[in-house]
Amino acid sequence: PPCRRPAGSGDLMPPGESPAVARRRVRLALRAARESLGLTQGQVAEEMEWSLSKIMRIESGEVTISPIDLKALLACLDVTNVDVIQQLVNDAKASRRRRSWWFDVGYRDHLPSGLLRLVQFEAEASALRFFNIVGVPGLLQTPAYAAAFLDSYSDQLSAQTVDMRKDVRLRRQQEFFSRSDNPELMVILDESVLLREVGGVEVMIPQLKSLLQRAERSRTLIRIVPLTTAAPLAMISPFIIVDLGGEQDSLLYLETSFDDEIIEERHKVSQYRASFEGLWSHALSDADSLRLIEKRLKMMSAGQRRSLSV
């Protein structure tokens, strides 16, 4: 069909809608429509009289698309269902909104782009899977543990950035655990995380207590891979799998000391999901994992009492 730029407008999405999630729906729908017609990005760009880079950036999620451009593009892609068009227009408007707390300039200027997107996806996630061999995941850290953990990066990050990330870490917890739909958390930790005294015993004791309490209060499952298990931990970096409605609608978050990224390629997400399931089977059961945390907690508490009595 010829490219045209129809006018029209629709209602905004609810204020709580995550811009990243809305943008993702739009770009996935556009890519699916293009591929269903057997068109390349270059062919669509030529038909629309846009640059190829514009099409590529829209489909990758690097930029938002205006409702006017979206309607024109949908017309070129032969998308005619009125309800679908209206929903995508609403999503396009929501994706351009900047009202949520994570877009505050104080946060945005100090967060890596991947983490900024992760925070938004967490707000819509139906389930999260964490694997960490380094420390307790940020979503489960106590304020003192978060401070001690982030302070270890003070030689790489400015004091202001460290402070902002501490604040964001606690805000993420507040927002996530106040959700009424109570999404599921599955957490795999290496036993070394329990042994590594981040911030000292006085920080670790409340942190271990918090892990136990979290497992009792919410849909949080924690499993520990014991040091005696020959699991391939050294080959896997910390990661998070975010389910946005099911296994077929998931993404992957990878973080290193210097960078982070969101990965949405289905085969890559599937690889990490398989790794997670393998590690889950290597780990202690839920009950045995909690007993190991309790054992470590008792050892630390006993050592603390002895040191205080000297």
Side-chain angles (χ1 to χ4, degrees):
C3 291
R4 53 191 181 275
R5 297 180 179 273
S9 61
D11 297 331
L12 288 173
M13 295 292 287
E17 177 69 71
S18 164
V21 174
R23 184 186 307 167
R24 184 172 185 266
R25 284 197 296 266
V26 171
R27 67 184 188 78
L28 291 180
L30 290 174
R31 185 174 68 187
R34 174 180 61 78
E35 291 177 345
S36 71
L37 295 177
L39 298 175
T40 66
Q41 291 178 325
Q43 289 172 320
V44 174
E46 182 178 358
E47 183 71 17
M48 290 293 297
E49 297 184 351
W50 290 351
S51 67
L52 174 59
S53 64
K54 179 173 180 176
I55 295 292
M56 294 174 66
R57 294 173 70 195
I58 289 172
E59 285 198 10
S60 68
E62 293 181 42
V63 298
T64 58
I65 183 171
S66 71
I68 291 177
D69 279 353
L70 175 62
K71 289 181 179 180
L73 184 54
L74 290 173
C76 281
L77 296 176
D78 203 21
V79 177
T80 58
N81 184 293
V82 175
D83 292 336
V84 170
I85 292 173
Q86 189 60 66
Q87 181 63 58
L88 291 174
V89 168
N90 291 345
D91 283 339
K93 291 179 179 180
S95 72
R96 298 164 70 88
R97 187 182 290 122
R98 294 293 184 270
R99 298 177 186 171
S100 300
W101 67 269
W102 50 73
F103 280 108
D104 183 281
V105 66
Y107 294 136
R108 192 175 66 246
D109 292 349
H110 295 278
L111 296 181
S113 60
L115 179 58
L116 182 61
R117 294 176 65 196
L118 174 66
V119 171
Q120 298 173 63
F121 286 126
E122 281 179 347
E124 306 292 330
S126 59
L128 295 172
R129 289 169 171 79
F130 292 85
F131 166 72
N132 209 310
I133 193 174
V134 178
V136 175
L139 208 56
L140 296 175
Q141 292 178 0
T142 63
Y145 187 98
F149 195 87
L150 288 168
D151 282 342
S152 66
Y153 291 93
S154 60
D155 60 333
Q156 304 169 20
L157 304 172
S158 69
Q160 186 179 14
T161 295
V162 169
D163 287 343
M164 283 294 179
R165 293 194 184 184
K166 291 177 186 176
D167 191 45
V168 167
R169 191 154 294 190
L170 300 180
R171 185 67 181 269
R172 283 171 61 200
Q173 294 180 18
Q174 178 185 354
E175 297 289 333
F176 185 84
F177 289 111
S178 64
R179 286 177 52 182
S180 59
D181 54 348
N182 196 20
E184 182 183 44
L185 290 182
M186 297 176 67
V187 182
I188 300 175
L189 301 177
D190 180 48
E191 186 179 354
S192 62
V193 173
L194 307 182
L195 303 174
R196 186 171 296 111
E197 296 182 2
V198 175
V201 174
E202 63 276 7
V203 171
M204 285 300 298
I205 288 176
Q207 177 62 75
L208 296 183
K209 289 180 178 178
S210 178
L211 288 178
L212 294 171
Q213 292 167 356
R214 182 62 63 190
E216 293 173 356
R217 289 200 307 262
S218 62
R219 296 177 63 199
T220 301
L221 300 176
I222 300 174
R223 288 196 174 185
I224 307 297
V225 179
L227 295 175
T228 54
T229 296
L233 299 180
M235 303 298 293
I236 307 175
S237 300
F239 64 87
I240 304 172
I241 297 174
V242 183
D243 289 343
L244 295 169
E247 292 188 10
Q248 300 305 311
D249 189 12
S250 303
L251 53 88
L252 174 69
Y253 176 75
L254 297 179
E255 180 181 17
T256 65
S257 298
F258 302 100
D259 199 9
D260 69 339
E261 61 179 328
I262 294 285
I263 297 174
E264 299 187 63
E265 290 84 353
R266 184 168 295 180
H267 75 281
K268 194 73 171 180
V269 178
S270 296
Q271 287 178 341
Y272 275 80
R273 187 182 296 276
S275 294
F276 186 92
E277 292 174 353
L279 290 167
W280 191 258
S281 65
H282 278 91
L284 298 174
S285 68
D286 304 344
D288 286 343
S289 294
L290 295 184
R291 279 192 284 270
L292 183 59
I293 296 174
E294 291 173 344
K295 179 180 178 181
R296 180 60 179 159
L297 176 59
K298 290 178 181 178
M299 291 176 63
M300 284 188 173
S301 299
Q304 185 184 51
R305 287 194 296 270
R306 286 195 297 271
S307 65
L308 292 174
S309 65
V310 175

